[in-house]
Amino acid sequence: MNSPLITPELVQLDADLGNAPPDVIARLAALVVGAGRATDAAPIADAATAREEKAGTGVNGRVAIPHCRSAAVSEPTLAFARLSNPVDFNGPDGDAELVFLIAAPEGGGKEHLKILSKLARALVRGDFVDRLRAAATEQEIVDAVLEVVNAEPNKKAKPAGGQVAPVAPAGSSSSKAPVRIAAVTSCATGIAHTYMAADALTRAAERRGDVELRVEPQGSSGGDRLDQAFIDSADAVIFAHDVAVRDKERFAGKPVVDSPVKRGVNKPDAMIDEAIAAAGNPDAPRVAAASSTSGTEQTDASSETWPKRLQQAIMTGVSYMVPFVAAGGLLLALGFLFGGADMANGWQTLVTDYSPTNLPGNEITIDGEAVSFARSGWLLYLGAVFFATGQMAMQFVVPALSGYIGYGLAGRPGIAPGFVGGAISVMVGAGFIGGLITGLLAGAVAYWIQTWKVPRWLGSLMPVVIIPLLTSLVIGLLMFLLLGRPLGAVMEGLTSWLESMSGSSAVLLGLIIGLMMCFDLGGPVNKAAYLFGTAGLSAGTQGAYEIMAAVMISGMVPPIALSIATFLRKSLFTPAEQENGKSAWLLGLSFVSEGAIPFAAADPFRVIPAMMLGGATAGAVSMALGVGAQAPHGGVFVIFAYDPWWGMLAALAAGVAVATVAVVALKQFWPNHEIRKAAEQAQTPVSATA
């Protein structure tokens, strides 16, 4: 480096640089230009602000480290400000008082990341931060910073007070390159937890200097697949998932940290620490290689218990079933919207006997009888097309559930027998209960057959012929000879009970559904209630539609209620919660219950009971009003799928009101002192030298 990374003219002490990150960044960029390190401040400010908008650079200790690369920068430079007016950089413990701006040349490779790494490691040492806060002159800041960023990797840095402290955080080795970690996140629906966990792990890694982490979110909207070269070079693997990891054999032999996806959202740093420890532990659990005869993707038995595998297999089935339900349910709702409710009486004839050049009138002949419809022409024909397409999609719901439960247990050889079992379940009237049973049986039988020792010449036929053949035969015999009729009777009894519900019994069921939906906000209990609602849609009964409505309406309550609460009583929530509240309402309206997770993770004993009370209210009111929903997702944005639509709005409003009042009351009269203190600190500017 030709000149020092930081000089006194690049430091400002106890200055007011504005009220928002772009203001502070722009002023620091001007310092870089003033020091002759760059030609123009605007490109630097724009690049650093754009990076800040992707993920806030606030770290523990009320410190922020915005950074960027720009062609306007001539050499790596570090500007620093100690703010008299703290600014919110989305840090975990309040507004930032100390701000570093790292500006690196466009062609400077990862120089700014190296600087960021050293600063991050130094910032975990309280003595370094204290030294920055207590510095009386710009030169003292320069000396403190250069001491840590210019320290050799194999040397110790001497902090104020003369005590020797390591440059790297405890537990990391500063003489080694960053630990490479490949991560995969996935959840049952692939909508919220998947991407929240991916973002949490990515942000946690960016705040550290001891890891290089890349994430593959296996969600509904897709994600970049990890490069195999990076996987091969990885020192450890993180699986934050509730469903089976797709193509797990890519990670074979790697040390693995395996946890539910919610842990990836709530404790990303802990998972990274465990991955670092596993990378250096020869006894750590590892991802097992694919079976040479089955092609399954299972982790080492020591890292997965059978109860956990059964749970993950069921969640895998739900995950793959949801797109069939979502597409089919919405198409059915569109069919009713276009063609009218009476179109369902003759949709088969409408789609097979008519066409765009031969549109139906409002009266057609079905099985020799004249049937009248409220609509005719294009509306009736398009409604029948949408309805017929939705019906075909819904026919795959139970087979998909069964097939992918089998896949979750036994890999690819479990798919075909699982689908066969699901189809038989539909045929004998066992419904989604039969699909659950046949999926588990197909997976267990296929997994058992994979353990057989067979000659090498037969091994290649096992996964594609022998296992699907034998397993399908076993499932068929069990269903037709033993299980089909009892399971069908159970399903028939359940359907009759749902259809007979009225008055207090319906309200009680709605209350229970609401409690389950808001208990763990996307966890196993929530997903069990969601499965109960979505799987019933394939039956097409009014009782099933009412359960689906109660599920969706109660699931919308928590994020909306918490968002409103942050606006009504801002002082009861931390700055981070206040920021989450600005967008949580939209997640709630979209039926993404996971938008409430940050609030529940920070204060579970106040948030979760309040949300359960609101969810129970919404579910009970929905059932009392007889609200039905023919769509399994979409929240208020599929309002046309609710009947009556005003009942949905009434139930939602009631649940949100109760949950909002409850959470405000609990936080007011049973305060969480840590959250209250953080909120008060954010509202009262603190002197940087205090």
Side-chain angles (χ1 to χ4, degrees):
M1 195 176 294
N2 296 327
S3 55
L5 182 69
I6 185 171
T7 62
E9 58 189 324
L10 290 165
V11 177
Q12 285 202 352
L13 296 180
D14 307 323
D16 185 347
L17 301 188
N19 298 316
D23 301 330
V24 177
I25 291 171
R27 295 285 293 276
L28 291 175
L31 290 182
V32 177
V33 174
R37 305 292 189 91
T39 57
D40 189 359
I44 303 172
D46 291 344
T49 300
R51 169 63 184 80
E52 192 71 30
E53 290 174 350
K54 293 180 180 178
T57 56
V59 297
N60 286 321
R62 305 185 75 176
V63 180
I65 318 177
H67 51 280
C68 70
R69 289 191 296 178
S70 172
V73 180
S74 57
E75 58 183 305
T77 302
L78 187 61
F80 172 82
R82 192 170 66 198
L83 303 178
S84 60
N85 176 30
V87 173
D88 183 8
F89 277 80
N90 201 26
D93 51 1
D95 295 350
E97 299 174 334
L98 308 177
V99 181
F100 293 92
L101 172 65
I102 303 173
E106 185 66 46
K110 295 186 177 180
E111 186 64 32
H112 71 300
L113 294 181
K114 295 178 182 178
I115 300 168
L116 178 63
S117 170
K118 291 186 176 182
L119 277 177
R121 292 181 176 189
L123 289 171
V124 302
R125 293 165 29 208
D127 56 273
F128 175 65
V129 178
D130 291 342
R131 191 174 175 184
L132 297 177
R133 295 187 188 280
T137 66
E138 289 81 358
Q139 187 60 50
E140 290 183 38
I141 295 290
V142 171
D143 292 342
V145 173
L146 291 180
E147 189 172 309
V148 297
V149 298
N150 290 338
E152 294 296 328
N154 59 347
K155 293 183 179 180
K156 306 283 186 180
K158 188 177 181 181
Q163 182 180 0
V164 176
V167 174
S172 68
S173 177
S174 58
S175 62
K176 296 181 180 179
V179 175
R180 283 194 162 195
I181 300 175
V184 174
T185 62
S186 65
C187 65
T189 58
I191 295 173
H193 274 104
T194 298
Y195 301 102
M196 293 172 69
D199 289 345
L201 288 167
T202 300
R203 291 188 183 187
E206 288 175 349
R207 293 194 298 263
R208 308 167 63 115
D210 54 352
V211 296
E212 179 184 356
L213 181 143
R214 299 184 190 177
V215 187
E216 178 181 309
Q218 295 184 351
S220 296
S221 62
D224 293 335
R225 186 180 174 91
L226 285 175
D227 181 66
Q228 189 61 45
F230 180 82
I231 296 175
D232 294 340
S233 66
D235 301 297
V237 173
I238 288 176
F239 291 152
H241 65 127
D242 286 338
V243 300
V245 174
R246 295 196 291 268
D247 301 324
K248 191 183 285 186
E249 70 274 9
R250 294 175 293 157
F251 306 91
K254 297 293 181 181
V256 62
V257 174
D258 195 319
S259 294
V261 69
K262 282 185 70 174
R263 191 162 183 257
V265 177
N266 297 333
K267 298 182 179 180
D269 282 296
M271 294 194 73
I272 291 174
D273 289 337
E274 292 167 11
I276 293 173
N281 182 6
D283 298 324
R286 295 176 181 268
V287 182
S291 168
S292 60
T293 61
S294 67
T296 58
E297 304 93 9
Q298 305 296 342
T299 54
D300 184 24
S302 62
S303 65
E304 285 188 342
T305 62
W306 268 102
K308 180 179 179 181
R309 290 182 60 186
L310 291 174
Q311 177 194 351
Q312 288 187 352
I314 294 174
M315 290 299 100
T316 299
V318 174
S319 177
Y320 283 98
M321 179 198 74
V322 165
F324 289 95
V325 180
L330 288 170
L331 284 167
L332 291 176
L334 286 172
F336 285 125
L337 180 67
F338 278 78
D342 53 2
M343 173 271 309
N345 298 326
W347 61 271
Q348 297 98 326
T349 302
L350 287 168
V351 295
T352 55
D353 292 356
Y354 294 88
S355 69
T357 59
N358 178 31
L359 295 173
N362 59 7
E363 184 175 289
I364 66 173
T365 301
I366 301 176
D367 296 332
E369 296 184 7
V371 179
S372 299
F373 298 92
R375 296 173 185 172
S376 61
W378 272 107
L379 284 178
L380 182 59
Y381 179 69
L382 284 178
V385 169
F386 289 143
F387 193 88
T389 308
Q391 285 280 21
M392 296 307 102
M394 294 299 287
Q395 288 183 11
F396 286 98
V397 168
V398 174
L401 173 67
S402 179
Y404 287 105
I405 289 176
Y407 168 73
L409 282 175
R412 293 183 184 89
I415 295 178
F419 265 88
V420 170
I424 296 174
S425 296
V426 174
M427 178 182 177
V428 299
F432 81 92
I433 294 178
L436 281 170
I437 300 299
T438 57
L440 293 171
L441 288 173
V445 173
Y447 184 85
W448 172 62
I449 296 176
Q450 290 170 34
T451 64
W452 294 1
K453 301 297 183 182
V454 298
R456 183 180 296 273
W457 63 268
L458 188 59
S460 61
L461 295 176
M462 292 291 287
V464 295
V465 178
I466 306 300
I467 297 176
L469 170 64
L470 294 180
T471 307
S472 298
L473 178 60
V474 170
I475 297 301
L477 290 173
L478 286 173
M479 286 299 291
F480 284 120
L481 301 181
L482 185 63
L483 299 176
R485 284 189 174 86
L487 291 175
V490 170
M491 191 66 188
E492 183 179 355
L494 177 61
T495 302
S496 299
W497 173 66
L498 293 177
E499 287 296 318
S500 66
M501 281 192 316
S502 62
S504 60
S505 61
V507 171
L508 178 61
L509 179 60
L511 186 147
I512 294 172
I513 288 173
L515 291 173
M516 294 177 67
M517 287 299 297
C518 299
F519 173 70
D520 53 1
L521 302 170
V525 177
N526 171 284
K527 288 298 183 289
Y530 184 65
L531 173 62
F532 184 48
T534 54
L537 283 181
S538 60
T541 64
Q542 181 59 28
Y545 293 151
E546 291 181 6
I547 290 173
M548 188 68 249
V551 166
M552 186 145 52
I553 295 171
S554 58
M556 288 190 277
V557 166
I560 300 174
L562 288 165
S563 180
I564 294 174
T566 61
F567 284 103
L568 294 179
R569 293 300 306 275
K570 187 176 181 180
S571 62
L572 299 177
F573 298 88
T574 66
E577 288 176 326
Q578 295 167 24
E579 190 66 26
N580 287 328
K582 295 176 182 178
S583 59
W585 62 271
L586 182 58
L587 295 174
L589 291 176
S590 305
F591 182 43
V592 179
S593 305
E594 289 87 344
I597 286 177
F599 301 91
D603 195 9
F605 297 110
R606 294 161 185 81
V607 171
I608 292 178
M611 295 307 103
M612 290 176 67
L613 187 60
T617 301
V621 172
S622 174
M623 294 294 282
L625 296 177
V627 181
Q630 296 173 2
H633 217 290
V636 299
F637 298 104
V638 291
I639 192 170
F640 60 85
Y642 294 92
D643 183 27
W645 61 267
W646 57 264
M648 179 272 290
L649 296 178
L652 180 61
V656 168
V658 170
T660 303
V661 171
V663 75
V664 169
L666 284 173
K667 284 180 172 285
Q668 177 68 42
F669 299 111
W670 181 31
N672 184 318
H673 296 292
E674 292 182 3
I675 290 180
R676 183 71 64 86
K677 182 178 179 181
E680 291 173 353
Q681 288 177 344
Q683 290 184 328
T684 305
V686 181
S687 171
T689 57

